[in-house]
Amino acid sequence: MGDTEYHASCPDRPDGDSDHLTAAFHALLEGATAPRPPAPPECPFCELPQDRYATGYPGHWILLEPRILVPAHTVPPRRRWIITSTGTAMNLWDAEPLPGAMCRIPHRIACPCLEPEDHWTWVTALRHHNGQRTQRLFDLPGEDLPDTG
């Protein structure tokens, strides 16, 4: 398929390298802004654990919604991610998915703490579910409980 021998294996490339700037721009455009290892693979906004994958852009990682595979034709272009045989996440961009193809979605579109990008029924439900998960993890009993002492 694509020629990958020209991609650097590390993010340290010389200043002024236009390929590096283009890769960084595309990585940010696709949402590949996750914390790098050894940091925990948690969303920096809601702190829910996510699946973190390296992308094809050196030094960039993506947080994908864990354990969720969706039919690719239900996900808008540039939000469809697949995991390659090497364990790298790849964004399908505008490619038309094959019939029956499944993909992963970036957590940022389902994060309960971020403003929604678009309004899709199933992503709204997932964002609501994640909001409930966050509350269960971090909301301890409050002051509104009756005094038992």
Side-chain angles (χ1 to χ4, degrees), residues 20-34 36 55 57-62 78-79 81 91 93 106 108 117:
H20 175 66
L21 295 176
T22 302
F25 173 75
H26 283 289
L28 292 175
L29 185 64
E30 294 175 19
T33 58
R36 298 178 187 172
T55 65
Y57 303 113
H60 290 86
W61 301 79
I62 183 79
R78 301 183 185 192
R79 302 297 183 267
W81 288 84
N91 189 321
W93 275 79
R108 66 185 170 95
E117 293 179 358

Side-chain angles (χ1 to χ4, degrees), residues 120-142:
W120 309 309
T121 307
W122 67 271
V123 173
T124 302
L126 182 58
R127 188 178 303 109
H128 179 69
H129 173 73
N130 282 344
Q132 290 176 335
R133 286 179 54 212
T134 302
Q135 287 183 345
R136 281 193 300 259
L137 289 174
F138 302 108
D139 285 351
L140 298 175

